Amino acid sequence: MQDWSAFIAAMRVGGWVVYPLTVLAVLAIAIILDRAYVFARFSSYSEQNLVTVPRGNAFRRVAEAITGNGATPIWLREAKAQAAAVHIERDMGRGLWVLETIVTAAPLLGLLGTIVGMMHSFQLFGGQGLVNPGGVTGGVAQSLVATAIGLVVALIALFAFNYFSRRLERMMDDLEAFATEKLAEIRLDQETLEAAT
């Protein structure tokens, strides 16, 4: 309980800049949790369980785009698979641009808090010397707290952005390999059927 009271006291010292930083932190956490859920639920692949995975699963969406009735030409199946991959990449990457923006905005807000705190400290210097030593240290504390919070928020968002971006790249590579394999199987079946007739 004492840790929380010290944390709340530090937040109060940080000044008004702490409020937008808190909004950015909550937004980053919400996006991180959302993307973690989406990637855990919709990016897994198992050859045996492709039918039982959720409808929004990326591999199932590509498989459904590739399969069709036997009369569908292969070029149309490829085009449908490509369109599905574009939609999947957009859906899975939703919100990542916000994380990338938070990576930039949080340290800048922390820097703004630093500048405001230092300006507050320097205003306390008068023509007759130092007027209020406690006020000067309070301004410095405000600037340090705002900077620290901004950096922590930016680091969390940066690690999450890099992780999800890499995971999305890897999933798109796996999807491409999956689609290529399925289309090759369809081509082989068509060639075998044509050779038999």
Side-chain angles (χ1 to χ4, degrees):
M1 188 68 181
Q2 189 177 14
D3 291 338
W4 279 108
S5 60
F7 176 74
I8 291 171
M11 294 286 280
R12 286 189 188 133
V13 169
W16 64 269
V17 175
V18 171
Y19 298 112
L21 285 171
T22 303
V23 170
L24 290 180
V26 168
L27 188 59
I29 290 170
I31 292 169
I32 290 167
L33 292 175
D34 175 63
R35 291 298 92 192
Y37 171 77
V38 166
F39 275 99
R41 183 158 167 85
F42 298 114
S43 70
S44 61
Y45 168 66
S46 173
E47 184 72 40
Q48 298 83 11
N49 298 331
L50 194 58
V51 177
T52 61
V53 296
R55 280 212 54 85
N57 183 283
F59 291 91
R60 183 172 177 176
R61 287 168 66 180
V62 169
E64 288 172 353
I66 291 173
T67 57
N69 60 22
T72 305
I74 195 76
W75 62 266
L76 182 58
R77 294 179 190 203
E78 287 175 349
K80 285 183 177 182
Q82 216 169 22
V86 168
H87 290 295
I88 289 166
E89 186 172 18
R90 185 195 63 221
D91 293 345
M92 299 298 276
R94 186 173 291 136
L96 293 184
W97 69 271
V98 178
L99 277 181
E100 188 176 21
T101 303
I102 290 171
V103 168
T104 305
L108 292 175
L109 275 171
L111 181 61
L112 179 62
T114 300
I115 292 169
V116 168
M118 296 308 282
M119 286 171 52
H120 175 70
S121 295
F122 289 135
Q123 284 177 351
L124 297 176
F125 287 104
Q128 292 101 17
L130 188 60
V131 176
N132 183 0
V136 173
T137 57
V140 172
Q142 176 182 348
S143 65
L144 295 176
V145 167
T147 303
I149 293 172
L151 290 175
V152 167
V153 171
L155 285 172
I156 291 169
L158 177 66
F159 288 133
F161 174 77
N162 286 340
Y163 171 75
F164 289 123
S165 294
R166 179 65 187 125
R167 189 151 179 202
L168 180 60
E169 278 179 35
R170 203 172 328 126
M171 188 195 74
M172 294 309 294
D173 290 343
D174 292 344
L175 270 177
E176 185 177 353
F178 171 78
T180 302
E181 181 183 337
K182 292 298 178 192
L183 288 168
E185 289 173 3
I186 292 170
R187 278 194 185 98
L188 180 63
D189 291 344
Q190 285 181 348
E191 288 174 7
T192 305
L193 187 62
E194 289 172 4
T197 56

Coordinates of all heavy atoms in Angstrom, one line a residue, residues 7 20 83 96 121 150 180 184:
F7 N 3.7 6.1 -5.4 CA 3.5 6.3 -6.9 C 2.5 7.4 -7.2 O 2.7 8.2 -8.1 CB 2.9 4.9 -7.4 CG 2.6 5.0 -8.9 CD1 3.6 5.0 -9.8 CD2 1.2 5.0 -9.3 CE1 3.3 5.1 -11.2 CE2 0.9 5.1 -10.6 CZ 1.9 5.1 -11.6
P20 N -2.1 13.4 -20.0 CA -2.0 12.9 -21.3 C -1.1 11.6 -21.4 O -1.3 10.7 -22.2 CB -1.5 14.0 -22.2 CG -1.0 15.1 -21.3 CD -1.6 14.8 -20.0
A83 N -6.0 -11.3 -52.4 CA -6.9 -10.3 -51.8 C -7.1 -10.7 -50.3 O -7.2 -9.8 -49.4 CB -8.2 -10.3 -52.5
L96 N -1.5 -1.0 -34.7 CA 0.0 -0.9 -34.6 C 0.5 0.5 -34.9 O 1.5 0.9 -34.3 CB 0.7 -1.9 -35.5 CG 0.4 -3.4 -35.1 CD1 1.2 -4.3 -36.0 CD2 0.8 -3.6 -33.6
S121 N 10.8 26.2 -12.2 CA 11.9 26.4 -11.3 C 12.7 27.7 -11.5 O 13.0 28.4 -10.6 CB 12.9 25.3 -11.5 OG 12.4 24.0 -11.1
G150 N 7.2 9.4 -19.4 CA 7.2 9.4 -20.9 C 8.1 8.4 -21.4 O 7.7 7.7 -22.4
T180 N 1.0 -21.0 -51.3 CA 1.8 -21.6 -52.4 C 1.7 -23.1 -52.5 O 1.5 -23.7 -53.5 CB 3.3 -21.2 -52.3 OG1 3.3 -19.7 -52.3 CG2 4.1 -21.7 -53.4
A184 N -0.2 -25.2 -55.4 CA 0.6 -26.3 -56.1 C -0.1 -27.6 -56.1 O -0.1 -28.3 -57.1 CB 2.0 -26.4 -55.4

